[in-house]
Amino acid sequence: MDIVTRLEAVRDRTLKYFELSDEQLARNYGPGKWPVRFILHHLADAETVLYDRIRRIISEPRQVLWAFDQESWAMSLDYSRMPLDLSRRIYDSVRAGVIHQARLHYESKGHLEFVHSETGIRTLKAEFDKVAAHNEHHLEQIALALQGS
């Protein structure tokens, strides 16, 4: 599956989860783990961070790009009070931007490098792949949380 098809497929699966009931959104996949609602907010925030990285790599390759502390974002941005529809719209809009950039640059500029503050040298292609893999990972967590509903 090519990257654009993969990004679109995972987007379509993710958007359906924003329509869950409050009871389903409150479920988590294990003790001390985020509820589905928090995972969805996190996906919107992570999408913005990863999209920013992608644009920076394309525009200014070889710079250091910093990791973000997802726990701090969840608490400081108060995911418990954040409107879920707002995160859905952010996620959907930013994913459209990621897909657009993937169509233009995945193959032609995928070799461009950047330095991730925690994992070292990586490529643009790897960052696009990470967007999809990160999203898929969290969909697995949501599916676990919803088992038996």
Side-chain angles (χ1 to χ4, degrees):
M1 176 181 309
D2 76 350
I3 190 63
V4 170
T5 303
R6 187 176 173 201
L7 289 167
E8 290 172 337
V10 75
R11 174 205 57 207
D12 294 346
R13 289 175 44 216
T14 301
L15 287 172
K16 292 176 185 174
Y17 287 120
F18 282 93
E19 306 304 321
L20 294 173
S21 69
D22 286 339
E23 184 273 326
Q24 291 170 310
L25 291 167
R27 292 181 180 202
N28 61 33
Y29 62 96
K33 300 298 184 183
W34 282 350
V36 171
R37 176 181 305 276
F38 276 37
I39 294 170
L40 293 170
H41 287 306
H42 165 70
L43 282 170
D45 282 341
E47 197 79 8
T48 65
V49 169
L50 295 171
Y51 184 48
D52 181 64
R53 283 186 196 159
I54 286 166
R55 293 180 305 157
R56 288 176 183 272
I57 298 162
I58 293 165
S59 302
E60 306 171 58
R62 292 295 293 171
Q63 64 178 300
V64 175
L65 300 176
W66 297 94
F68 78 108
D69 182 342
Q70 64 186 21
E71 292 292 335
S72 291
W73 282 50
M75 295 306 115
S76 298
L77 298 175
D78 200 356
Y79 283 178
S80 63
R81 294 182 13 181
M82 182 104 145
L84 193 58
D85 187 60
L86 178 59
S87 286
R88 181 195 60 75
R89 288 183 285 135
I90 291 168
Y91 171 86
D92 194 23
S93 295
V94 175
R95 176 57 60 97
V98 170
I99 290 168
H100 175 76
Q101 295 302 326
R103 279 191 180 108
L104 294 176
H105 302 295
Y106 185 79
E107 293 299 334
S108 66
K109 295 186 178 178
H111 65 282
L112 294 177
E113 294 179 337
F114 73 103
V115 180
H116 186 276
S117 65
E118 292 179 348
T119 59
I121 297 174
R122 296 199 346 222
T123 65
L124 175 62
K125 190 176 271 193
E127 201 66 7
F128 279 119
D129 293 338
K130 180 180 178 168
V131 172
H134 173 261
N135 201 154
E136 290 163 343
H137 170 72
H138 285 299
L139 290 182
E140 291 169 8
Q141 293 172 336
I142 292 171
L144 284 174
L146 297 176
Q147 279 181 348
S149 60

